[in-house]
């Protein structure tokens, strides 16, 4: 992914994740932003709200993903005003997909969109590099995700309750941070349900720990 960055561009070498549970979704991410081997920001917030109950997690170029998220946020606010109701999660995901696919040769952007709407309930969508769109019960992305596919496949189960989904997300992101040099810092989480959004923070000294070797 870094090879596609323009000179001087900041890379969101990262671990991002979203998990659907019974009553909503959890989105989570580490907080490290890198420029090559230099850590440009160790407390980045990679969880970006695009509407009241819809978030996106961003990986790839910081500039590209911020620009795309800003455009989607604008259109979703416009949708809410003109239609008189909040947009569906799929509407947000489809907007991201259209922007990422139609500009796939110019963008370095891997996006996860997750949220809750009254039509479908909780939903998670992944938009990887290239701009395809996939609805999944959980999604992982960024450079750290390659280290945790096995953990996620082995430990995910349908029907997670809130606490189980939070623990699953915290453990997965922490495992990725311990292996991936471009992921690190703290873990930021957001719990999205019909009642709203609850933000959670896990400082570096309270991360779940595993075998360190």
């Amino acid at each position: 992914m870094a090879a596609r960055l323009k000179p001087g561009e900041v890379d969101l070498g990262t671990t991002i994740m979203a998990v659907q549970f019974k009553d909503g979704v959890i989105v989570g991410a580490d907080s490290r932003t890198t420029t090559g081997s230099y850590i440009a920001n160790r407390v980045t917030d990679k969880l970006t709200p695009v509407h009241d109950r819809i978030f996106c997690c961003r990986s790839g170029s910081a500039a590209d993903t911020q620009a795309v998220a800003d455009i989607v946020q604008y259109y979703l606010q416009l949708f809410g005003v003109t239609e008189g109701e909040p947009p569906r999660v799929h509407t947000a995901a489809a907007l991201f997909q259209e922007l990422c696919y139609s500009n796939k040769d110019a963008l370095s952007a891997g996006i996860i969109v997750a949220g809750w709407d009254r039509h479908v309930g909780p939903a998670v969508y992944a938009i990887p590099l290239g701009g395809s769109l996939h609805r999944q019960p959980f999604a992982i992305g960024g450079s750290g995700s390659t280290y945790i596919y096995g953990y996620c496949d082995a430990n995910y189960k349908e029907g997670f309750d809130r606490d189980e989904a939070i623990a699953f997300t915290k453990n997965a992101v922490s495992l990725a941070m311990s292996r991936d040099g471009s992921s690190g810092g703290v873990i930021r989480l957001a719990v999205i349900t019909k009642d709203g959004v609850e933000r959670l923070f896990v400082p570096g000294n309270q991360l779940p720990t595993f075998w360190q070797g």
Side-chain angles (χ1 to χ4, degrees):
M1 193 181 298
R4 298 186 58 183
L5 297 179
K6 296 176 272 294
E9 194 168 17
V10 175
D11 179 23
L12 231 56
T14 188
T15 302
I16 54 174
M17 185 171 184
V19 182
Q20 182 177 323
F21 68 100
K22 280 192 299 185
D23 302 316
V25 296
I26 311 286
V27 291
D30 75 306
S31 65
R32 178 174 293 178
T33 297
T34 55
T35 53
S37 59
Y38 175 76
I39 299 172
N41 189 344
R42 59 194 177 95
V43 288
T44 314
D45 187 356
K46 301 175 186 178
L47 310 179
T48 306
V50 291
H51 207 266
D52 294 347
R53 290 177 179 82
I54 306 174
F55 272 63
C56 75
C57 306
R58 304 177 291 112
S59 67
S61 159
D64 290 352
T65 56
Q66 283 172 6
V68 171
D70 286 347
I71 294 167
V72 170
Q73 184 180 42
Y74 166 77
Y75 279 115
L76 292 181
Q77 298 293 340
L78 197 62
F79 179 96
V81 172
T82 56
E83 299 298 321
E85 66 171 11
R88 302 183 188 210
V89 181
H90 182 266
T91 302
L95 278 170
F96 273 106
Q97 192 249 347
E98 173 63 26
L99 289 166
C100 290
Y101 180 76
S102 59
N103 299 283
K104 61 182 179 290
D105 295 327
L107 295 177
S108 175
I111 308 285
I112 295 173
V113 181
W116 184 94
D117 65 64
R118 65 184 181 87
H119 300 281
V120 177
V124 173
Y125 294 88
I127 302 134
L129 284 171
S132 56
L133 178 63
H134 313 271
R135 184 175 181 188
Q136 300 170 305
F138 71 91
I140 56 178
S143 56
S145 66
T146 56
Y147 299 94
I148 56 171
Y149 275 96
Y151 173 85
C152 292
D153 289 343
N155 289 277
Y156 174 79
K157 67 176 189 281
E158 291 186 10
F160 271 149
D161 63 27
R162 177 184 180 276
D163 292 339
E164 289 173 328
I166 290 173
F168 175 66
T169 306
K170 281 168 58 175
N171 288 341
V173 175
S174 182
L175 281 164
M177 290 164 64
S178 70
R179 294 285 184 180
D180 177 35
S182 295
S183 300
V186 303
I187 296 177
R188 298 184 189 277
L189 301 166
V191 184
I192 308 167
T193 65
K194 67 179 181 180
D195 299 320
V197 179
E198 179 188 359
R199 297 290 296 248
L200 304 173
F201 176 81
V202 185
N205 63 347
Q206 295 179 24
L207 295 175
T209 53
F210 303 90
W211 183 76
Q212 305 262 309

